[in-house]
Amino acid sequence: MKSLFYSARKLLLIFAAVLAFFARVQQPFCQDFQAGFWPAEHIAILHDFGYIWSENTIFKPYRWERIGSQFSNDGAVPNSGLQWIAHDLVKETQGNQLFIAGTTDTLNFIWWNGVRMNQSVGPGKPFSSFAVAPFSKLTFWFRQRLNVQLFLRATNEPASLPGFTGHARDIRRFGLNAAEFDHAAVSYRNDWLLVQFARGRQIWGSTERETMILAATSPAYDHFMLEGRYKRLKLRFFNGFLESITDEVNINRYLVGHGIEYSNHRNLLIVLSELIVYSGENRPFDISFLNPLAFALEVEQNNRTNKDVGSGSSNSVWSVHVDWMPLRGLRLSGDLTIDEFQFDRADRPQGRPDATAYSLRASYSRILGRIPVTVFSQYTRIGSLTFRHDLGANNFVSRNLPLGSDIGSDADRWQFGTQLVFPIRFIISVKYGFSREGDRSLLLDKYASIERFTSFPFPSGQVQKTRFLDWRIAYRPFRNFEVLASGRFSRGTGRFDENKQYLMFSL
């Protein structure tokens, strides 16, 4: 039986790899680019060099619109490693067409299949073995307005996939024991309006790779989204269901987001946003928070919620996001989040602190010879009490994972790195960093309530320190086939990453 199992898994791996090689990997108008797939990564590279900036946004994942024309507007991409990246992205705007019988209408579609081999225990742990994770992504769109997307992934080790929350079963099929729809969406869009109902995740932040308040590594959740555009302004609202947690009682948890974005479509993005987590015993959707123009302070202070617990029924944070390129290749990005700020004079003498978080990134990109090179530094600091609440059910977590940064809270991290893009379709990234985390980290107890809202040294308690070196090599010999290897060497006293070396490999 064991030999049969390994033979079946080997056949599955070969079959998925063949599909990944021959499948036409095209991304249509109005489709989401999930983080972790090469189109989103390549858009981030081009943004660092100042290309297709008009398609840049704080509200991610990216959606495809006028990519081909934007390369023309921004000027020709120079003869370098950027050319093959731009060429592959432009090719993704094409799709397969099915003519509907009896009409001149067409139904466009793509079908993307592949397989990944990730470390079985996930990133940040000592290498043990590889886990297999086949995936399939199917998209239909009609008249470039109505769009349906399905992204299914499965694995034999749930811990191997970031943000994966599918439950492992006692039995296996083809060597796999867990699967989930990581993304499933129905949406309608025109030039000024987007309406979507989806299972997926919102990714909000000034940078593409490591966002602070809503991250790509969070669990997927069902939500309704509404977005409107007018010239340089964009407004986004979403309301979603996170989970039900059951101890002695059943507590339902929800997530709400409001944001307004200004973009000059050349080199500047500014966003103001509010995020709300609300919960309660057997609590249904709150109609007050279903209103796109309702904000937490006004709703709660005027007792307009469906939960009679005053201002303790929700936890809200307010953020400012800025992405600016003052000179071509020089990019400055930052996020500032306020969870609690003591406006009243009486609060500070009583020892009530502010609860804030911020992230700053600076990068410089230029082409040396024919090799595009980006160097960057980034600092992230999340306060001891940030993203937490008097009611632990209102913490910014879901399904035992943070909604935002992977450092949780009561922590900070410095990172320095470089990225090189070679014309022979290689991308190499190296990053060195060090982090600190305190005793009140959100990662230690996801649903713990705040014991007392007073000032603490930062980081609090016994500080754990870690130094790490990350590396990543991606090779894409063809537009629809990629080989990726990455790893980490780390050393320190950290609870979550102590003296670890790991390796990951995917197709």
Side-chain angles (χ1 to χ4, degrees), residues 210-234:
E210 297 184 19
T211 51
M212 189 175 65
I213 58 171
L214 291 178
T217 53
S218 74
Y221 41 86
D222 294 290
H223 61 281
F224 166 80
M225 184 179 71
L226 183 68
E227 180 181 287
R229 294 185 176 192
Y230 179 72
K231 294 183 178 180
R232 297 184 176 186
L233 293 178
K234 180 191 297 182

Side-chain angles (χ1 to χ4, degrees), residues 130-331:
F130 284 121
V132 179
F135 63 87
S136 182
K137 185 179 182 190
L138 181 63
T139 300
F140 291 96
W141 75 104
F142 178 65
R143 292 185 176 179
Q144 296 187 343
R145 292 291 182 262
L146 184 63
N147 181 255
V148 178
Q149 304 173 56
L150 292 172
F151 173 40
L152 172 67
R153 57 181 181 171
T155 181
N156 61 337
E157 294 290 349
S160 68
L161 296 177
F164 186 89
T165 56
H167 288 282
R169 303 184 64 190
D170 295 332
I171 61 175
R172 294 176 181 263
R173 295 289 185 267
F174 301 104
L176 308 173
N177 67 339
E180 71 169 357
F181 278 110
D182 184 71
H183 185 73
V186 177
S187 60
Y188 172 83
R189 183 171 191 158
N190 57 31
D191 292 338
W192 61 275
L193 178 67
L194 167 64
V195 180
Q196 182 182 79
F197 184 78
R199 174 172 178 79
R201 54 185 63 82
Q202 296 284 313
I203 307 171
W204 289 15
S206 61
T207 62
E208 294 85 353
R209 300 168 180 85
E210 297 184 19
T211 51
M212 189 175 65
I213 58 171
L214 291 178
T217 53
S218 74
Y221 41 86
D222 294 290
H223 61 281
F224 166 80
M225 184 179 71
L226 183 68
E227 180 181 287
R229 294 185 176 192
Y230 179 72
K231 294 183 178 180
R232 297 184 176 186
L233 293 178
K234 180 191 297 182
L235 291 88
R236 177 172 289 194
F237 163 79
F238 74 92
N239 193 312
F241 173 72
L242 291 176
E243 62 179 334
S244 291
I245 54 177
T246 303
D247 189 4
E248 297 179 357
V249 296
N250 185 69
I251 298 176
N252 296 329
R253 308 181 64 242
Y254 306 89
L255 177 65
V256 181
H258 306 85
I260 179 170
E261 177 180 276
Y262 167 82
S263 172
N264 66 1
H265 301 308
R266 297 190 310 274
N267 66 343
L268 178 63
L269 281 170
I270 301 175
V271 168
L272 301 177
S273 69
E274 177 190 55
L275 293 174
I276 307 164
V277 173
Y278 70 93
S279 64
E281 182 180 349
N282 296 318
R283 187 175 183 177
F285 274 105
D286 196 319
I287 298 299
S288 297
F289 290 127
L290 284 174
N291 182 348
L293 301 180
F295 298 92
L297 283 179
E298 193 276 333
V299 169
E300 286 198 341
Q301 295 300 322
N302 291 313
N303 294 325
R304 292 174 180 163
T305 69
N306 62 5
K307 192 69 174 176
D308 187 20
V309 292
S311 60
S313 65
S314 70
N315 182 18
S316 54
V317 301
W318 300 270
S319 300
V320 179
H321 315 267
V322 178
D323 198 2
W324 182 39
M325 184 167 283
L327 301 172
R328 186 124 193 180
L330 176 62
R331 187 177 183 186

Side-chain angles (χ1 to χ4, degrees), residues 421-490:
V421 183
F422 295 90
I424 56 176
R425 305 180 73 89
F426 264 103
I427 301 177
I428 298 177
S429 304
V430 179
K431 180 171 59 180
Y432 170 78
F434 51 90
S435 62
R436 302 181 299 168
E437 62 262 0
D439 289 341
R440 291 173 174 80
S441 172
L442 191 65
L443 301 180
L444 293 177
D445 192 344
K446 313 308 193 290
Y447 301 93
S449 59
I450 295 177
E451 300 172 1
R452 53 192 178 94
F453 200 84
T454 56
S455 297
F456 300 100
F458 177 85
S460 65
Q462 184 178 0
V463 179
Q464 312 295 315
K465 301 179 181 179
T466 302
R467 297 179 181 273
F468 58 88
L469 177 68
D470 291 344
W471 59 271
R472 183 176 184 270
I473 301 175
Y475 176 51
R476 295 188 52 245
F478 309 100
R479 182 167 53 88
N480 50 4
F481 185 79
E482 179 179 60
V483 179
L484 172 67
S486 62
R488 163 170 290 197
F489 302 95
S490 66

